[in-house]
């Protein structure tokens, strides 16, 4: 069995953003040489997400509004976590959007549905963050 591990780095200048990281993940898969197996992609921070959905700008806008209704950033004083911090909403947004994605690898490719793409969701940007890519298979 082959095993591959890599960390991807992101430094998003804005507080929130969605980034299509499918090309970087496909690059990792190519480097791994795995043809049949599984790939795990997870945010290594509790204020960022990795998730799978459609790469469609209207949907990203809808997510932004939906998440902001569920867990508004302002006023930061509404959250008990925000004693010396201002990112309670980012923890909650991460919880909703998820920590990781797992994708089957078939024939050396990501075995996606037609419109599935992998995204990094940033909810407390302005600093360097990591995403783990782990691949096992043969
Ligand atoms: Zn926090």
């Amino acid at each position: 069995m082959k095993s591959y591990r890599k960390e991807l780095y992101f430094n998003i200048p804005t507080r929130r953003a969605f980034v299509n990281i499918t090309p970087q993940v496909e690059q990792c898969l190519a480097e791994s040489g795995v043809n049949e197996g599984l790939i795990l992609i997870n945010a290594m921070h509790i204020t960022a997400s990795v998730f799978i959905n459609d790469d469609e700008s209207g949907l990203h806008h809808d997510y932004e509004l939906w998440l902001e209704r569920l867990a508004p950033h302002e006023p930061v004083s509404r959250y008990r976590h925000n004693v010396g911090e201002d990112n309670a909403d980012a923890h909650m947004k991460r919880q909703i959007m998820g920590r990781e994605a797992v994708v089957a690898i078939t024939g050396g490719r990501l075995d996606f549905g037609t419109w599935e793409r992998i995204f990094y969701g940033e909810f407390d940007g302005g600093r360097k963050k990591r995403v783990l890519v782990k691949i096992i298979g043969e």
Side-chain angles (χ1 to χ4, degrees):
M1 188 193 77
K2 289 178 184 164
S3 173
Y4 172 97
R5 181 189 191 278
K6 188 172 188 177
E7 292 178 7
L8 306 177
Y9 292 89
F10 298 93
N11 195 342
I12 306 293
T14 53
R15 179 172 287 275
R16 288 187 295 278
F18 298 121
V19 182
N20 183 346
I21 61 170
T22 311
Q24 292 100 309
V25 174
E26 287 174 334
Q27 177 65 34
C28 292
L29 178 55
E31 289 171 11
S32 76
V34 170
N35 274 302
E36 297 291 324
L38 289 172
I39 183 165
L40 164 77
I41 312 104
N42 70 267
M44 299 178 83
H45 300 264
I46 50 182
T47 55
S49 287
V50 170
F51 63 96
I52 294 178
N53 217 296
D54 191 355
D55 190 11
E56 198 276 310
S57 62
L59 181 64
H60 296 175
H61 175 77
D62 295 340
Y63 273 140
E64 165 67 16
L65 296 185
W66 178 63
L67 290 168
E68 198 56 23
R69 275 200 303 272
L70 289 171
H73 177 65
E74 303 276 359
V76 296
S77 60
R78 70 189 286 152
Y79 300 104
R80 193 167 293 186
H81 177 65
N82 285 340
V83 177
E85 292 201 62
D86 69 349
N87 67 1
D89 68 303
H91 289 270
M92 292 170 181
K93 286 163 176 151
R94 181 267 170 93
Q95 201 72 39
I96 293 164
M97 298 303 281
R99 170 182 182 263
E100 75 270 308
V102 177
V103 182
I105 301 162
T106 304
R109 302 187 61 180
L110 299 173
D111 203 342
F112 275 148
T114 305
W115 299 106
E116 287 185 316
R117 299 294 179 271
I118 306 165
F119 291 89
Y120 174 73
E122 178 60 79
F123 307 116
D124 186 21
R127 57 204 165 94
K128 192 174 170 186
K129 289 186 171 178
R130 296 179 292 159
V131 166
L132 176 66
V133 179
K134 181 84 180 190
I135 303 172
I136 55 171
E138 53 188 20

